[in-house]
Amino acid sequence: MENINLFSEISKKMSEQDCFLIFPHLHPDGDALGSSVALAEALRLMNKEAWVLVEEAFPHNLDFLDKNMSTTDKDIFKGKDYISIMLDCSDKNRIINRYSSFERGNIKIVIDHHLTDNLNFKTDYEVIEPKAAATGELVYNLIKELGVSMNKFIADSIFTAITTDTGNFQHSNTTALTHKIAMELYDVSGFNSKPVSNLIYNRESLNSIQLEKLVIDSMMTYEDGKIVIAFITNKMLIETNTDMSETDRFINKLMTIEGVEIAAVCKQDMGDKTKVSLRSKNYTDVSKIAKKYGGGGHERASGFNLDVLPYDAPYIFVDDLKKAINI
Ligand SMILES: [Mn+2]
């Protein structure tokens, strides 16, 4: 790991401090929350005060990670020195409502695996490792560097970070190191991946399955089925009594279709806007398309926002998808 020397410097600095505020990105996923609570737990095992500052409830399938470690109180360390740690993101806009609390930290650290050209804010330490499949891999190494002996909760949290960000070890970001870390988690007493996987993946509500039916019904295909686009509207959510936090898995469902190279999901956002998520299977770089519309991400997973309603969104970008698959 290229950043191991930096981790030893960071861990020294961390050992000298008492208070830590951890910042997962907005709409946190399994990697952001798993990494955050794993690090908070490790710091608490070192008798430090550590909190994960959030602005939303944990998604239902990740509620088991919410173990009295998250707070919405931006002033929880009022009058005290603390270290700010941004995890799974390196963009201040993705923690914008909490950014002032991040900035107040007397040492600021960013640990992320998203490719970034330039940070749009000041930090003391940045560990940005695009080869890492998940921020959880980086946090795992940091916890080892801190010398904390891992407990079951840390192992469960790191496993959650890794399994969710790799599509359960199926995405192209999965490496030998990813599997090695998963293997090492079995050395932690009580750890077993199966019950964690059941908590993450096998607790769909009937409502959510009914929403899935509507999303699948909305599907449109292009270029002989190489491209598939589906929609999630507020109307669908109301009809099935569900919310947007339950919709992240649908794009993966579309990717399971034989012959699909690119899948897009257009989600209604704040009334008349749309969040577009893109995935590609084998050879197309969807991060270029996302960038064109002011978004970002990885070659195989990216996203962007449009100021139109979901059903109008494909008219804007579908030609880009067609060009990408016909390269
Ligand atoms: Mn991640």
Side-chain angles (χ1 to χ4, degrees), residues 25 27-35 61-62 87-89 94 111-114 129-130 132-138 157-175 178 200-201 248 252 279 298 300-301:
H25 56 72
H27 310 314
D29 55 11
D31 188 24
L33 290 174
S35 299
N61 71 323
L62 302 171
L87 289 181
D88 199 35
C89 108
R94 297 199 73 200
I111 300 173
D112 187 24
H113 67 133
H114 296 91
E129 182 53 75
T135 299
E137 290 185 1
L138 303 171
S157 306
I158 296 289
F159 182 78
T160 301
I162 291 175
T163 178
T164 55
D165 251 28
T166 58
N168 206 13
F169 303 90
Q170 293 177 64
H171 296 339
S172 58
N173 60 356
T174 308
T175 65
T178 316
I200 300 170
Y201 299 115
D248 286 349
N252 299 327
R279 296 283 187 279
H298 308 286
R300 298 282 175 265

Side-chain angles (χ1 to χ4, degrees), residues 115-139:
L115 200 62
T116 9
D117 308 330
N118 248 319
L119 289 196
N120 51 7
F121 58 98
K122 278 218 168 68
T123 63
D124 299 289
Y125 297 100
E126 301 149 28
V127 177
I128 294 174
E129 182 53 75
K131 286 190 203 118
T135 299
E137 290 185 1
L138 303 171
V139 166

Side-chain angles (χ1 to χ4, degrees), residues 233-246:
T233 62
N234 291 344
K235 187 166 169 279
M236 291 176 180
L237 300 180
I238 293 164
E239 209 173 299
T240 54
N241 194 21
T242 50
D243 64 74
M244 269 310 169
S245 74
E246 299 172 55

Side-chain angles (χ1 to χ4, degrees), residues 214-241:
L214 299 182
V215 175
I216 299 294
D217 278 345
S218 79
M219 211 167 69
M220 305 203 294
T221 62
Y222 303 83
E223 306 292 286
D224 299 323
K226 291 192 190 83
I227 297 171
V228 51
I229 303 180
F231 303 87
I232 304 171
T233 62
N234 291 344
K235 187 166 169 279
M236 291 176 180
L237 300 180
I238 293 164
E239 209 173 299
T240 54
N241 194 21

